[in-house]
Amino acid sequence: MPHIAFLNRLRRLFGGAGPHIETIAAALADGRIKQPAHPMSDQELSRAIREFQSRPASEEALRKLAERLEAAKPDGPP
């Protein structure tokens, strides 16, 4: 999924843009984070983003989110 479609999914889940979503958008655009290697359920993705939003948008919070996205494992066939 292109990162624009991924961002649209995030914006739908979280009701639009905000500083945290824009931080994610910038990090995807410049390669600091990558989309999950395997599709995450809306529940998994929402949990990861809520954890990210619970802290101020920072490089450390972004690093932890990147780790969660990279660790996404498929839970069955697509």
Side-chain angles (χ1 to χ4, degrees):
M1 168 185 308
H3 81 271
I4 297 300
F6 184 66
L7 286 170
N8 287 337
R9 182 179 174 205
L10 294 179
R11 288 182 177 115
R12 275 193 317 273
L13 285 170
F14 292 94
H20 286 84
I21 299 296
E22 297 313 311
T23 298
I24 294 169
L28 284 166
D30 66 20
R32 288 180 288 149
I33 64 171
K34 296 183 181 354
Q35 295 179 64
H38 303 283
M40 297 173 87
S41 70
D42 283 353
Q43 182 180 8
E44 292 171 313
L45 184 56
S46 293
R47 187 179 314 122
I49 300 301
R50 275 193 308 275
E51 289 173 8
F52 176 69
Q53 289 179 316
S54 72
R55 296 186 167 89
S58 67
E59 286 300 316
E60 177 63 17
L62 191 60
R63 184 188 62 74
K64 288 182 181 182
L65 176 62
E67 290 172 2
R68 288 286 302 271
L69 297 178
E70 289 175 21
K73 301 266 192 277
D75 56 349

